[in-house]
Amino acid sequence: MRLEKCYFCSSTCYPGHGVMFVRNDSKTFRFCRSKCHKNFKLKRNPRKVKWTKAFRRAAGKEMVVDATLEFEKRRNIPIRYDRDLMATTLKAIKRVQEIKAKRERVHFKNRMAGKKERELQENIKALQKNIELVEGDEIKQKIMEHKMGEKTNRTDMELV
C-alpha cells in the first residue's frame, strides 16, 4: 500500500482517496481532497496559504532541518523481503518517531519562549489605551500608577 503526499498541503493521500491530476508533460499531482485541488487550479502558492504544511515550514512554525525528516523520503529501490530486516526496520521507525516527537516539543518550547511576557505587555497597552472602558475605580488607579511609573522610568533614562 503506497501512501502518497498531497502536492498542495503535504498531507497523506490514502489509496482510493483524493484526485490525481496529470499534466500534458505527464507530471502527476496528487491531491488529498477537493479543497487542495481547487486551490491548485486557482494557481495559489502553497507557501502563502496558511493551512498548508509549506506555509508552516516557511514561517518557522515547524522543523525544517532535522535528520529525522530524512526517513520520510520515498525510496524507489526494490529490496527483497527479509523478515529480520523488516523487524529491525519497524523498530527503527518507532524509535525515529519518538526522537522526532521529542525534537518537535523542544522546537515548540523554543518558539513559545517569551510569549507570556509579550501578551502581558500587549494587554497592559490595550488597558492603558482604552482606560475609559474599565469599570472599577481601584483597577483604574492601578493602571494609572503603572502608566506613571513607566513615564518616570523613561524620563530617568533620558537624563542619564
Side-chain angles (χ1 to χ4, degrees), residues 17 23 25-26 39 41-42 51 55 58 61 67 74 76-78 80 83 91 95 107-108 110 112 128 148 157 160:
H17 293 261
R23 206 164 49 191
D25 62 350
S26 72
N39 279 296
K41 287 194 287 187
L42 291 170
W51 51 268
F55 174 84
K61 295 183 181 294
R74 193 170 127 195
N76 288 325
I77 302 166
R80 178 173 278 193
R83 179 178 275 176
K91 286 180 185 175
R95 181 70 180 131
H107 177 75
F108 181 77
N110 291 339
M112 293 298 142
Q128 289 173 351
M148 293 300 177
M157 292 182 86
V160 174

Side-chain angles (χ1 to χ4, degrees), residues 114-125:
K115 186 174 186 279
K116 286 188 178 181
E117 290 84 22
R118 275 185 264 130
E119 283 183 351
L120 183 65
Q121 293 298 325
E122 288 173 8
N123 291 340
I124 289 170
K125 280 184 183 179

Side-chain angles (χ1 to χ4, degrees), residues 62-111:
E62 284 189 8
M63 290 190 309
V64 178
V65 181
D66 193 34
T68 57
L69 299 173
E70 295 295 319
F71 291 102
E72 284 186 17
K73 289 189 177 176
R74 193 170 127 195
R75 290 160 187 79
N76 288 325
I77 302 166
I79 298 172
R80 178 173 278 193
Y81 177 77
D82 182 15
R83 179 178 275 176
D84 297 332
L85 177 67
M86 197 64 151
T88 55
T89 304
L90 290 174
K91 286 180 185 175
I93 288 172
K94 288 178 184 175
R95 181 70 180 131
V96 166
Q97 286 176 344
E98 290 171 7
I99 293 169
K100 186 178 175 185
K102 184 178 178 182
R103 289 182 181 173
E104 283 177 347
R105 283 194 301 270
V106 170
H107 177 75
F108 181 77
K109 280 185 181 178
N110 291 339
R111 239 183 69 215

Side-chain angles (χ1 to χ4, degrees), residues 8 39 42-50 52 54-55:
F8 197 80
N39 279 296
L42 291 170
K43 297 185 178 179
R44 292 203 174 128
N45 188 350
R47 286 180 301 234
K48 294 184 179 178
V49 181
K50 293 199 175 199
T52 62
F55 174 84

Side-chain angles (χ1 to χ4, degrees), residues 13-14 16-20 30-34:
C13 293
Y14 291 95
H17 293 261
V19 178
M20 180 189 280
R30 297 278 301 190
F31 303 104
C32 58
R33 53 186 179 259
S34 61

